[in-house]
């Protein structure tokens, strides 16, 4: 009812406006002649396009040129800044690498999923330039915060406040995080929460004691993968406040594969692992047809690795959830040579052939390498054959996603 | 039939089938609003459109009067909220039909006529005409330098040298895109 009244009022107002307009026209027409003063800029607009057509023209231009067109005149600049919100964006759904160089400049590189460089921008003044860039480009796919101070508060804040959607699925932090605070990291995770499924701190250095905790990681929502590891197995991470809450939240991860690989996490307890295993085994899964003898679909695999985690050792895990691990579990002692020294690898595996899934728990660092996501080289030449228009065609693997929905 | 009058002195009037003239949303709304008046007898003055431009408009709407109506897409304007889909709608591909290609005043000396036409299409809210005209202008501008565009669009560089230098720095990053 209220809606209708509002609608009626609006139509009424529009009617009044039109009546006035027509009356205005009619007044000016005397004996079939137009009289009275001409509106402001009346003659000018014959040689210049008004804002709306100009805006429409801009929508048809590539982002690079739209940015350069800011140079044309103040009016054009103003119009571009005003309308950049609604303008089509350059789509970048491959890999985006943020890196800072010695001069303190932020370098942003875009790559396709085959690690071919598509474009690169060097931002001297992070604050202004990054916010400018975010007006024109979609960021999707995988984001690397790489060498140097690449994930500083300034950068993360710009990404968080950008009005356009940043939709990375994978975040990889491997730079210097000493200029990164809890608040800005958390705000960034909140921003990308609907899209991000995997977060990896691989070889990031100078992580502050309080930076990584359950609530910060939790801000990123449901994850399928989390990895926290230092540069080399020799160096140590600070005390990480990542505990059983984060571990347990991953039980409901995607139904294809998931991983939780951490080192130096003393807050993880054997009790937490038991709770995880119990929940994981009871997790509802699509029932496989018992009579179906063909391809059984994808194996659901879940890997847990606890390396140098004070409270989690083969012995404590055995003690806490030995009964769960008993059946179908292999406690395998593997002796091999790693870097010249003898390493012992203990792992537990739980297989559920009926529902086609497998859970593995290991206590060494060998899985970290398997899950590491390597960034493409920024030094590559830009691949000229690879422009915007080809992006969708050449990368069918991103088609199935809802980027275009 | 509906009569449209140009802003010339004396005005030039054109008689157009109602169906054709209704391609202009502005006029369509006006006619709907004035239902009951005998609009066949009342010429509609168009104070923003001169005779040569109105002639083009009339030619275009008559040619396109039987086109299927364009699919309306609600456009979110000035929406500050972080709507995950608001920035997602890519502009649909606009293809200029053959007839329109010949129709558009595309010679360089007719540039101002083209702008007048787009002005009128904007004012009269004839979106398909505005779209193909803007697409034409965009294709023309595409890949050109700032100076060229300034000249083409009859725009003046009203920046101070300092402002210009600052802006140059500000947009330097776009080179690598």
């Amino acid at each position: 009812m209220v809606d209708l009244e509002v609608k009626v009022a609006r139509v009424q107002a529009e009617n009044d406006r039109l009546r006035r307009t027509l009356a205005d026209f009619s007044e000016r027409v005397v004996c079939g002649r137009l009289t009275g003063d001409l509106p402001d800029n009346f003659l000018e607009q014959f040689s210049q396009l008004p804002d709306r057509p100009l805006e429409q023209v801009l929508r048809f231009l590539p982002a690079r040129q739209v940015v350069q067109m800011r140079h044309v005149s103040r009016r054009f600049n103003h119009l571009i800044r005003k309308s950049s919100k609604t303008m089509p964006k350059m789509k970048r759904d491959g890999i985006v690498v943020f890196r800072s160089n010695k001069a303190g400049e932020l370098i942003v590189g875009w790559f396709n999923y085959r690690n071919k460089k598509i474009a690169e921008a060097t931002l001297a003044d992070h604050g202004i330039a990054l916010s400018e860039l975010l007006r024109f480009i979609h960021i999707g796919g995988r984001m690397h915060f790489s060498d140097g101070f690449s994930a500083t508060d300034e950068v993360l804040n710009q990404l968080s406040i950008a009005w356009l959607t940043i939709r990375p699925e994978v975040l990889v932090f491997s730079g210097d995080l000493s200029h990164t605070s809890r608040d800005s990291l958390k705000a960034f995770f909140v921003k990308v929460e609907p899209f991000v499924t995997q977060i990896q701190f691989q070889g990031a250095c100078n992580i502050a004691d309080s930076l990584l905790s359950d609530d910060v990681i939790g801000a990123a929502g449901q994850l399928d993968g989390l990895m926290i590891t230092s540069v080399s197995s020799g160096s140590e991470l600070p005390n990480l406040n990542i505990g059983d809450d984060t571990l347990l939240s991953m039980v409901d991860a995607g139904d294809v594969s998931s991983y939780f690989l951490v080192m130096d996490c003393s807050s993880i307890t054997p009790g937490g692992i038991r709770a995880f295993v119990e929940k994981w085994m009871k997790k509802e899964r699509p029932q496989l047809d018992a009579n179906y003898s063909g391809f059984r679909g994808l194996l659901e695999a879940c890997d847990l690795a606890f390396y140098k985690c004070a409270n989690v050792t083969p012995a404590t895990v055995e003690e806490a959830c030995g009964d769960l691990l008993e059946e179908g579990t292999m406690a395998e002692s593997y002796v091999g040579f790693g870097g010249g020294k003898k390493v012992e690898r203990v792992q537990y595996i739980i297989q559920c052939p009926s529902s086609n899934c497998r859970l593995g728990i290991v206590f060494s660092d060998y899985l970290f390498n398997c899950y590491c996501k390597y960034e493409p080289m920024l030094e590559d030449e830009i691949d000229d054959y690879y422009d915007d228009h080809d992006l969708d065609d050449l990368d069918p693997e991103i088609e199935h996603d809802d980027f275009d929905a | 039939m509906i009569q449209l009058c140009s802003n010339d002195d004396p005005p030039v009037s054109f008689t157009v089938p109602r169906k054709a003239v209704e391609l202009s949303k502005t006029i369509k709304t006006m006619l709907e609003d004035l239902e009951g008046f005998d609009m066949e007898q009342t010429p509609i003055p168009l104070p923003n459109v001169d005779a040569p431009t109105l002639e083009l408009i009339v030619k275009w709407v008559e040619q396109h009067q039987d086109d299927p109506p364009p699919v309306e897409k609600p456009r979110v304007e000035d929406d500050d909220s972080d709507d995950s889909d608001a920035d997602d709608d890519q502009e649909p591909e606009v293809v200029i039909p053959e007839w329109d290609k010949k129709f558009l005043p595309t010679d360089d000396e007719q540039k101002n006529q083209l702008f007048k036409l787009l002005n009128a299409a904007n004012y009269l809210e004839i979106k398909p005409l505005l779209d193909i005209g803007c697409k034409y202008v965009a294709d023309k501008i595409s890949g050109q330098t700032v100076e060229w565009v300034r000249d083409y669009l009859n725009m003046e560089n009203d920046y101070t040298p300092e402002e210009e230098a600052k802006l140059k720095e500000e947009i330097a990053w776009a080179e690598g895109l």
Side-chain angles (χ1 to χ4, degrees):
Chain A
M1 192 60 202
V2 177
D3 279 358
L4 267 178
E5 276 168 15
V6 169
K7 213 171 159 187
V8 167
R10 208 174 51 225
V11 172
Q12 198 79 51
E14 178 67 9
N15 275 355
D16 288 348
R17 187 184 67 82
L18 285 164
R19 260 176 226 284
R20 275 198 306 274
T21 317
L22 190 71
D24 195 32
F25 286 172
S26 306
E27 261 170 37
R28 288 209 234 145
V29 180
V30 179
C31 301
R33 286 184 176 207
L34 185 69
T35 60
D37 289 333
L38 293 171
D40 285 348
N41 302 328
F42 182 67
L43 293 173
E44 236 169 72
Q45 62 182 341
F46 278 172
S47 63
Q48 286 209 348
L49 288 172
D51 284 359
R52 221 185 94 198
L54 269 188
E55 200 184 313
Q56 190 65 17
V57 166
L58 288 169
R59 293 177 77 87
F60 292 125
L61 289 174
R64 178 201 337 233
Q65 193 170 10
V66 173
V67 179
Q68 282 163 352
M69 287 302 116
R70 290 183 53 199
H71 228 112
V72 169
S73 72
R74 282 169 199 262
R75 181 179 155 221
F76 223 43
N77 185 23
H78 181 74
L79 179 72
I80 288 171
R81 299 185 63 83
K82 200 185 83 191
S83 59
S84 59
K85 273 187 185 185
T86 53
M87 243 182 266
K89 305 290 176 300
M90 196 183 268
K91 279 210 283 182
R92 292 298 186 224
D93 288 328
I95 302 165
V96 184
V97 180
F98 288 76
R99 195 183 268 203
S100 88
N101 63 13
K102 286 206 176 74
E105 293 169 327
L106 187 70
I107 300 163
V108 189
W110 284 270
F111 301 82
N112 68 18
Y113 283 110
R114 291 185 303 277
N115 289 351
K116 276 262 178 237
K117 180 144 81 180
I118 305 163
E120 181 181 307
T122 303
L123 314 181
D125 183 336
H126 302 193
I128 299 170
L130 187 57
S131 70
E132 282 299 315
L133 177 142
L134 290 171
R135 285 166 177 265
F136 299 99
I137 295 167
H138 266 305
I139 292 181
R142 202 162 93 207
M143 281 176 96
H144 281 270
F145 294 91
S146 171
D147 295 3
F149 303 114
S150 53
T152 60
D153 284 356
E154 199 185 13
V155 171
L156 292 180
N157 290 344
Q158 284 295 343
L159 291 167
S160 303
I161 60 168
W163 46 264
L164 79 85
T165 317
I166 297 169
R167 37 181 69 188
E169 289 158 22
V170 182
L171 299 175
V172 182
F173 295 87
S174 52
D176 186 331
L177 295 182
S178 58
H179 291 19
T180 309
S181 72
R182 270 175 65 85
D183 288 349
S184 58
L185 188 61
K186 196 170 167 180
F188 176 60
F189 283 171
V190 168
K191 167 92 176 175
V192 299
E193 182 268 326
F195 311 99
V196 72
T197 59
Q198 294 171 10
I199 297 180
Q200 310 201 156
F201 290 87
Q202 54 186 49
C205 59
N206 294 327
I207 299 177
D209 243 356
S210 56
L211 185 64
L212 299 182
S213 64
D214 284 335
D215 68 313
V216 170
I217 300 292
Q222 179 69 60
L223 295 175
D224 295 343
L226 178 68
M227 174 161 94
I228 302 174
T229 169
S230 66
V231 189
S232 63
S233 47
S235 58
E236 298 209 346
L237 288 167
N239 245 332
L240 302 171
N241 298 318
I242 292 183
D244 298 338
D245 286 352
T246 302
L247 176 63
L248 282 170
S249 73
M250 299 204 38
V251 173
D252 300 315
D255 49 11
V256 175
S257 102
S258 56
Y259 59 92
F260 182 87
L261 319 172
V262 292
M263 62 187 286
D264 293 320
C265 271
S266 51
S267 317
I268 304 273
T269 66
I273 295 178
R274 184 188 169 91
F276 181 91
V277 173
E278 277 179 336
K279 262 181 95 178
W280 188 84
M281 289 169 83
K282 283 194 212 125
K283 188 173 153 185
E284 275 198 31
R285 297 185 168 86
Q287 282 296 310
L288 289 177
D289 186 351
N291 299 322
Y292 183 61
S293 58
F295 180 59
R296 311 207 90 185
L298 289 167
L299 175 76
E300 178 191 333
C302 175
D303 279 317
L304 307 182
F306 306 98
Y307 180 61
K308 294 209 273 184
C309 295
N311 297 313
V312 185
T313 62
T316 56
V317 170
E318 176 79 49
E319 195 188 325
C321 34
D323 55 321
L324 294 174
L325 300 170
E326 218 169 35
E327 208 167 324
T329 302
M330 297 179 291
E332 153 194 312
S333 205
Y334 174 87
V335 181
F337 291 92
K341 73 175 193 281
K342 209 158 92 173
V343 287
E344 193 170 74
R345 194 154 85 195
V346 181
Q347 67 174 21
Y348 293 100
I349 295 173
I350 302 168
Q351 303 239 35
C352 307
S354 59
S355 49
N356 209 18
C357 57
R358 173 193 153 279
L359 171 69
I361 306 175
V362 302
F363 304 91
S364 66
D365 62 346
Y366 87 99
L367 271 182
F368 290 96
N369 284 334
C370 308
Y371 282 96
C372 248
K373 294 217 162 31
Y374 296 100
E375 67 190 62
M377 292 291 129
L378 268 176
E379 292 73 27
D380 281 0
E381 286 294 308
I382 291 180
D383 187 352
D384 282 331
Y385 294 106
Y386 202 82
D387 72 8
D388 266 346
H389 304 288
D390 299 335
L391 198 66
D392 298 321
D393 303 332
L394 287 176
D395 258 328
E397 68 233 68
I398 62 169
E399 287 277 23
H400 65 85
D401 272 308
D402 56 353
F403 293 120
D404 297 302
Chain B
M1 297 299 260
I2 302 288
Q3 284 178 60
L4 302 177
C5 295
S6 76
N7 67 3
D8 302 81
D9 186 10
V12 182
S13 82
F14 294 84
T15 308
V16 194
R18 179 162 178 153
K19 188 179 174 190
V21 91
E22 282 188 342
L23 285 176
S24 154
K25 243 180 159 177
T26 309
I27 298 180
K28 187 170 190 263
T29 319
M30 190 186 273
L31 290 175
E32 280 165 3
D33 188 44
L34 297 169
E35 207 65 68
F37 291 84
D38 186 2
M39 290 312 287
E40 306 255 324
Q41 302 306 316
T42 321
I44 302 178
L46 302 174
N48 284 353
V49 189
D50 63 9
T53 309
L54 189 54
E55 192 183 343
L56 283 171
I57 294 276
V58 167
K59 229 167 119 183
W60 191 89
V61 293
E62 283 182 341
Q63 169 72 21
H64 288 275
Q65 57 182 312
D66 295 319
D67 285 5
V71 190
E72 288 281 334
K73 193 175 62 178
R75 193 168 151 203
V76 194
E77 249 177 289
D78 291 36
D79 186 2
D80 275 3
S81 67
D82 183 36
D83 183 353
S84 60
D85 293 318
D87 53 29
D88 235 16
D89 51 344
Q90 295 288 310
E91 196 64 15
E93 192 75 21
V94 169
V95 181
I96 308 177
E98 279 306 314
W99 186 89
D100 297 67
K101 260 183 209 158
K102 292 197 191 89
F103 159 82
L104 284 176
T106 51
D107 289 346
D108 280 349
E109 58 267 32
Q110 288 179 303
K111 188 179 76 186
N112 284 355
Q113 182 58 64
L114 176 67
F115 291 170
K116 277 199 239 175
L117 180 67
L118 294 187
N119 255 310
N122 178 44
Y123 161 69
L124 294 171
E125 286 188 62
I126 311 175
K127 188 157 188 317
L129 176 58
L130 188 62
D131 276 349
I132 59 149
C134 291
K135 171 76 174 147
Y136 173 81
V137 174
D139 288 348
K140 192 102 179 148
I141 288 177
S142 185
Q144 301 286 358
T145 62
V146 169
E147 289 73 23
W148 192 95
V149 174
R150 229 177 243 150
D151 183 60
Y152 181 74
L153 293 177
N154 302 320
M155 284 183 172
E156 237 168 87
N157 180 8
D158 50 4
Y159 287 113
T160 63
E162 293 80 35
E163 282 173 327
E164 216 174 341
K166 192 165 166 273
L167 194 66
K168 212 163 215 156
E169 250 169 57
E170 247 181 77
I171 62 177
W173 59 267
E175 300 289 336
L177 289 187

